[in-house]
Amino acid sequence: DSGVTQTPKHLITATGQRVTLRCSPRSGDLSVYWYQQSLDQGLQFLIQYYNGEERAKGNILERFSAQQFPDLHSELNLSSLELGDSALYFCASSAGGGGQRYTEAFFGQGTRLTVV
Amino acid sequence: AQSVAQPEDQVNVAEGNPLTVKCTYSVSGNPYLFWYVQYPNRGLQFLLKYITGDNLVKGSYGFEAEFNKSQTSFHLKKPSALVSDSALYFCAVRDRTGANNLFFGTGTRLTVIP
Protein backbone atom coordinates (compact mmCIF):
# COMPACT_ATOMS: atom_id res chain seq x y z
CA ASP A 1 0.00 0.00 0.00
CA SER A 2 1.58 3.27 -1.17
CA GLY A 3 -0.49 5.44 1.16
CA VAL A 4 -2.00 7.36 -1.76
CA THR A 5 -5.76 6.91 -2.04
CA GLN A 6 -7.75 7.49 -5.18
CA THR A 7 -11.49 7.38 -5.54
CA PRO A 8 -13.44 6.09 -7.28
CA LYS A 9 -11.61 3.03 -8.61
CA HIS A 10 -13.87 2.76 -11.62
CA LEU A 11 -16.07 5.27 -13.36
CA ILE A 12 -18.31 4.81 -16.38
CA THR A 13 -19.92 7.87 -17.85
CA ALA A 14 -21.37 9.15 -21.11
CA THR A 15 -19.81 11.51 -23.59
CA GLY A 16 -20.32 15.16 -22.77
CA GLN A 17 -20.50 14.55 -19.05
CA ARG A 18 -18.28 15.87 -16.28
CA VAL A 19 -16.55 13.81 -13.59
CA THR A 20 -14.36 14.50 -10.60
CA LEU A 21 -11.53 12.24 -9.53
CA ARG A 22 -10.24 12.50 -6.00
CA CYS A 23 -6.79 11.89 -4.54
CA SER A 24 -5.57 11.85 -0.97
CA PRO A 25 -1.77 12.00 -0.80
CA ARG A 26 0.45 10.20 1.65
CA SER A 27 0.50 11.76 5.07
CA GLY A 28 2.93 14.66 5.06
CA ASP A 29 3.40 14.83 1.28
CA LEU A 30 2.93 18.30 -0.14
CA SER A 31 3.23 17.55 -3.85
CA VAL A 32 0.48 15.91 -5.88
CA TYR A 33 0.84 14.85 -9.49
CA TRP A 34 -1.79 13.70 -11.95
CA TYR A 35 -1.04 11.35 -14.82
CA GLN A 36 -3.10 9.83 -17.59
CA GLN A 37 -2.27 6.35 -18.82
CA SER A 38 -3.83 5.16 -22.04
CA LEU A 39 -2.90 2.18 -24.17
CA ASP A 40 -1.40 4.12 -27.01
CA GLN A 41 0.10 7.08 -25.15
CA GLY A 42 1.91 5.64 -22.18
CA LEU A 43 2.02 7.68 -19.00
CA GLN A 44 1.30 11.35 -19.68
CA PHE A 45 1.99 13.98 -17.07
CA LEU A 46 -0.99 16.29 -16.62
CA ILE A 47 -0.35 18.65 -13.75
CA GLN A 48 1.42 19.06 -10.41
CA TYR A 49 0.42 20.92 -7.28
CA TYR A 50 2.60 21.79 -4.35
CA ASN A 51 1.03 22.89 -1.09
CA GLY A 52 -2.07 24.19 -2.82
CA GLU A 53 -0.42 25.94 -5.74
CA GLU A 54 0.01 24.79 -9.30
CA ARG A 55 3.68 23.99 -9.83
CA ALA A 56 3.95 22.41 -13.26
CA LYS A 57 1.69 21.75 -16.18
CA GLY A 58 1.99 19.06 -18.79
CA ASN A 59 -0.27 17.86 -21.56
CA ILE A 60 -3.49 18.77 -19.82
CA LEU A 61 -6.46 19.62 -21.99
CA GLU A 62 -8.40 22.82 -21.41
CA ARG A 63 -11.44 20.66 -20.61
CA PHE A 64 -9.52 19.31 -17.63
CA SER A 65 -8.72 21.17 -14.47
CA ALA A 66 -7.37 20.33 -11.05
CA GLN A 67 -6.93 21.84 -7.65
CA GLN A 68 -5.32 21.03 -4.35
CA PHE A 69 -7.19 21.90 -1.19
CA PRO A 70 -5.87 23.17 2.16
CA ASP A 71 -5.98 19.64 3.56
CA LEU A 72 -3.72 18.68 0.58
CA HIS A 73 -6.16 16.37 -1.12
CA SER A 74 -6.55 17.01 -4.82
CA GLU A 75 -9.30 16.73 -7.37
CA LEU A 76 -9.06 16.34 -11.12
CA ASN A 77 -12.11 17.59 -12.99
CA LEU A 78 -12.76 16.28 -16.48
CA SER A 79 -15.53 17.91 -18.47
CA SER A 80 -17.16 17.57 -21.89
CA LEU A 81 -15.88 14.05 -21.89
CA GLU A 82 -15.01 12.33 -25.15
CA LEU A 83 -14.48 8.68 -25.96
CA GLY A 84 -10.75 9.33 -26.20
CA ASP A 85 -10.63 10.40 -22.56
CA SER A 86 -11.11 6.80 -21.50
CA ALA A 87 -7.95 5.93 -19.61
CA LEU A 88 -6.42 5.19 -16.25
CA TYR A 89 -5.85 8.33 -14.24
CA PHE A 90 -3.16 8.16 -11.60
CA CYS A 91 -2.40 10.43 -8.75
CA ALA A 92 1.01 10.44 -7.13
CA SER A 93 2.44 12.30 -4.19
CA SER A 94 5.90 13.16 -2.98
CA ALA A 95 7.36 14.97 -0.05
CA GLY A 96 8.93 17.93 -1.66
CA GLY A 97 8.48 20.73 -4.09
CA GLY A 98 11.39 22.50 -5.61
CA GLY A 99 13.74 21.77 -2.77
CA GLN A 100 13.32 18.02 -2.61
CA ARG A 101 13.45 16.92 -6.21
CA TYR A 102 15.31 13.78 -5.23
CA THR A 103 12.28 12.34 -3.52
CA GLU A 104 10.41 9.62 -5.31
CA ALA A 105 6.70 9.84 -6.00
CA PHE A 106 4.26 7.26 -4.68
CA PHE A 107 1.30 6.30 -6.81
CA GLY A 108 -2.29 5.50 -6.06
CA GLN A 109 -4.09 2.56 -7.61
CA GLY A 110 -5.66 4.75 -10.24
CA THR A 111 -9.15 5.54 -11.43
CA ARG A 112 -10.24 3.72 -14.54
CA LEU A 113 -12.47 6.04 -16.53
CA THR A 114 -14.60 4.64 -19.30
CA VAL A 115 -16.48 7.07 -21.49
CA VAL A 116 -19.29 5.49 -23.50
CA ALA B 1 13.17 20.04 -22.02
CA GLN B 2 13.48 16.80 -20.14
CA SER B 3 12.60 13.50 -21.76
CA VAL B 4 13.08 9.80 -21.32
CA ALA B 5 13.36 7.11 -23.96
CA GLN B 6 12.77 3.42 -23.46
CA PRO B 7 13.77 2.00 -26.82
CA GLU B 8 12.23 -1.44 -26.32
CA ASP B 9 8.49 -1.89 -26.00
CA GLN B 10 8.94 -5.53 -25.09
CA VAL B 11 11.74 -7.56 -23.54
CA ASN B 12 11.59 -11.32 -23.21
CA VAL B 13 14.02 -13.26 -21.05
CA ALA B 14 14.20 -16.81 -19.79
CA GLU B 15 13.79 -17.42 -16.09
CA GLY B 16 17.17 -17.46 -14.35
CA ASN B 17 18.86 -15.37 -17.03
CA PRO B 18 20.05 -11.83 -16.45
CA LEU B 19 17.74 -9.08 -17.63
CA THR B 20 18.30 -5.54 -18.81
CA VAL B 21 15.65 -2.91 -19.47
CA LYS B 22 17.08 0.10 -21.24
CA CYS B 23 16.52 3.78 -20.55
CA THR B 24 18.14 6.92 -21.91
CA TYR B 25 17.36 10.43 -20.82
CA SER B 26 17.71 14.04 -21.84
CA VAL B 27 17.77 16.76 -19.23
CA SER B 28 19.51 20.03 -18.53
CA GLY B 29 22.29 19.43 -16.06
CA ASN B 30 22.45 16.45 -13.78
CA PRO B 31 19.31 14.36 -13.46
CA TYR B 32 17.42 12.57 -10.79
CA LEU B 33 16.48 9.17 -12.25
CA PHE B 34 13.89 6.66 -11.14
CA TRP B 35 12.58 3.22 -12.05
CA TYR B 36 9.05 2.08 -11.38
CA VAL B 37 7.23 -1.19 -11.97
CA GLN B 38 3.55 -1.64 -12.77
CA TYR B 39 1.77 -4.94 -12.28
CA PRO B 40 -1.58 -5.51 -14.01
CA ASN B 41 -4.39 -3.31 -12.71
CA ARG B 42 -2.09 -1.72 -10.16
CA GLY B 43 -0.44 1.62 -9.68
CA LEU B 44 3.25 2.20 -10.22
CA GLN B 45 5.59 1.00 -7.52
CA PHE B 46 8.92 2.67 -6.86
CA LEU B 47 11.93 0.40 -7.44
CA LEU B 48 15.03 2.57 -7.13
CA LYS B 49 16.51 5.97 -7.79
CA TYR B 50 19.78 7.66 -8.66
CA ILE B 51 20.49 10.93 -6.94
CA THR B 52 24.26 11.21 -6.70
CA GLY B 53 27.29 9.17 -5.82
CA ASP B 54 27.82 5.56 -6.80
CA ASN B 55 26.73 4.91 -10.37
CA LEU B 56 25.34 1.50 -9.45
CA VAL B 57 22.13 1.81 -7.50
CA LYS B 58 20.48 -1.11 -5.75
CA GLY B 59 16.75 -1.26 -5.25
CA SER B 60 13.82 -3.48 -4.37
CA TYR B 61 13.33 -7.13 -5.37
CA GLY B 62 16.99 -7.58 -6.37
CA PHE B 63 16.93 -4.94 -9.09
CA GLU B 64 19.76 -2.53 -9.72
CA ALA B 65 20.43 0.20 -12.22
CA GLU B 66 23.58 1.70 -13.63
CA PHE B 67 23.87 5.42 -14.24
CA ASN B 68 26.11 6.29 -17.17
CA LYS B 69 26.53 10.02 -17.59
CA SER B 70 28.48 9.90 -20.85
CA GLN B 71 25.83 7.73 -22.49
CA THR B 72 22.94 9.46 -20.67
CA SER B 73 21.60 6.04 -19.74
CA PHE B 74 20.09 4.44 -16.69
CA HIS B 75 19.53 0.79 -17.53
CA LEU B 76 17.67 -1.47 -15.13
CA LYS B 77 19.25 -4.85 -14.44
CA LYS B 78 18.76 -8.01 -12.48
CA PRO B 79 21.22 -10.92 -12.36
CA SER B 80 18.59 -13.66 -12.40
CA ALA B 81 15.06 -13.07 -13.65
CA LEU B 82 11.98 -14.52 -11.98
CA VAL B 83 8.64 -15.22 -13.62
CA SER B 84 7.13 -12.85 -11.04
CA ASP B 85 9.25 -10.02 -12.49
CA SER B 86 6.97 -9.98 -15.53
CA ALA B 87 5.43 -6.51 -15.54
CA LEU B 88 5.58 -3.08 -17.14
CA TYR B 89 8.66 -1.05 -16.25
CA PHE B 90 8.92 2.71 -16.43
CA CYS B 91 11.97 4.90 -16.29
CA ALA B 92 11.48 8.49 -15.11
CA VAL B 93 13.56 11.64 -14.85
CA ARG B 94 13.33 14.88 -12.96
CA ASP B 95 15.73 17.74 -13.53
CA ARG B 96 17.32 19.71 -10.73
CA THR B 97 16.02 23.10 -11.71
CA GLY B 98 12.89 24.52 -13.24
CA ALA B 99 9.69 22.53 -13.14
CA ASN B 100 9.51 19.73 -10.65
CA ASN B 101 7.43 17.30 -12.62
CA LEU B 102 8.47 13.72 -13.12
CA PHE B 103 8.70 12.65 -16.77
CA PHE B 104 8.16 9.03 -17.65
CA GLY B 105 9.24 6.90 -20.56
CA THR B 106 6.70 4.94 -22.55
CA GLY B 107 7.33 1.78 -20.62
CA THR B 108 8.86 -1.61 -21.40
CA ARG B 109 6.89 -4.78 -20.95
CA LEU B 110 9.10 -7.47 -19.47
CA THR B 111 8.07 -11.08 -19.90
CA VAL B 112 10.04 -13.75 -18.08
CA ILE B 113 9.55 -17.13 -19.69
CA PRO B 114 9.54 -20.18 -17.41
Side-chain angles (χ1 to χ4, degrees):
Chain A
D1 182 6
S2 67
V4 180
T5 303
Q6 287 188 249
T7 56
K9 287 189 168 48
H10 301 276
L11 199 49
I12 301 175
T13 189
T15 55
Q17 295 299 303
R18 172 189 169 95
V19 297
T20 297
L21 313 183
R22 183 188 168 98
C23 170
S24 294
R26 287 190 325 154
S27 177
D29 283 358
L30 298 178
S31 278
V32 169
Y33 310 76
W34 284 98
Y35 289 86
Q36 179 191 57
Q37 185 180 34
S38 51
L39 281 175
D40 58 345
Q41 299 251 344
L43 204 63
Q44 298 289 320
F45 168 70
L46 296 178
I47 198 163
Q48 181 209 354
Y49 280 82
Y50 175 72
N51 203 20
E53 293 190 4
E54 183 183 304
R55 182 59 66 95
K57 215 168 191 175
N59 299 321
I60 187 166
L61 300 171
E62 284 191 11
R63 301 183 285 111
F64 296 179
S65 65
Q67 53 185 327
Q68 186 179 27
F69 295 87
D71 67 352
L72 300 178
H73 91 271
S74 178
E75 292 181 356
L76 179 67
N77 300 296
L78 315 176
S79 61
S80 303
L81 285 167
E82 302 174 358
L83 295 177
D85 297 328
S86 296
L88 258 176
Y89 290 84
F90 285 110
C91 167
S93 74
S94 68
Q100 291 183 298
R101 294 165 183 270
Y102 52 85
T103 57
E104 59 271 29
F106 292 86
F107 281 74
Q109 299 288 308
T111 294
R112 182 171 294 281
L113 173 67
T114 304
V115 182
V116 297
Chain B
Q2 50 192 318
S3 65
V4 174
Q6 292 181 245
E8 301 158 317
D9 291 335
Q10 173 84 40
V11 169
N12 297 325
V13 63
E15 186 177 21
N17 281 4
L19 69 87
T20 298
V21 182
K22 295 179 181 177
C23 171
T24 59
Y25 66 89
S26 174
V27 70
S28 301
N30 294 319
Y32 294 122
L33 294 159
F34 306 82
W35 274 103
Y36 286 81
V37 60
Q38 185 181 24
Y39 297 101
N41 300 314
R42 302 292 299 274
L44 278 69
Q45 296 177 34
F46 169 72
L47 275 180
L48 51 79
K49 65 182 176 183
Y50 171 80
I51 304 303
T52 188
D54 195 349
N55 289 342
L56 185 65
V57 178
K58 294 190 185 297
S60 307
Y61 312 121
F63 283 94
E64 57 191 27
E66 187 168 11
F67 172 63
N68 187 317
K69 187 173 181 178
S70 62
Q71 297 185 2
T72 62
S73 67
F74 188 55
H75 300 332
L76 182 70
K77 301 181 180 186
K78 188 173 181 181
S80 178
L82 301 173
V83 172
S84 57
D85 293 330
S86 299
L88 192 54
Y89 290 82
F90 289 94
C91 180
V93 66
R94 182 189 278 146
D95 67 19
R96 297 187 184 225
T97 59
N100 190 27
N101 44 317
L102 197 57
F103 271 94
F104 283 83
T106 50
T108 298
R109 185 163 300 282
L110 173 69
T111 300
V112 181
I113 303 161

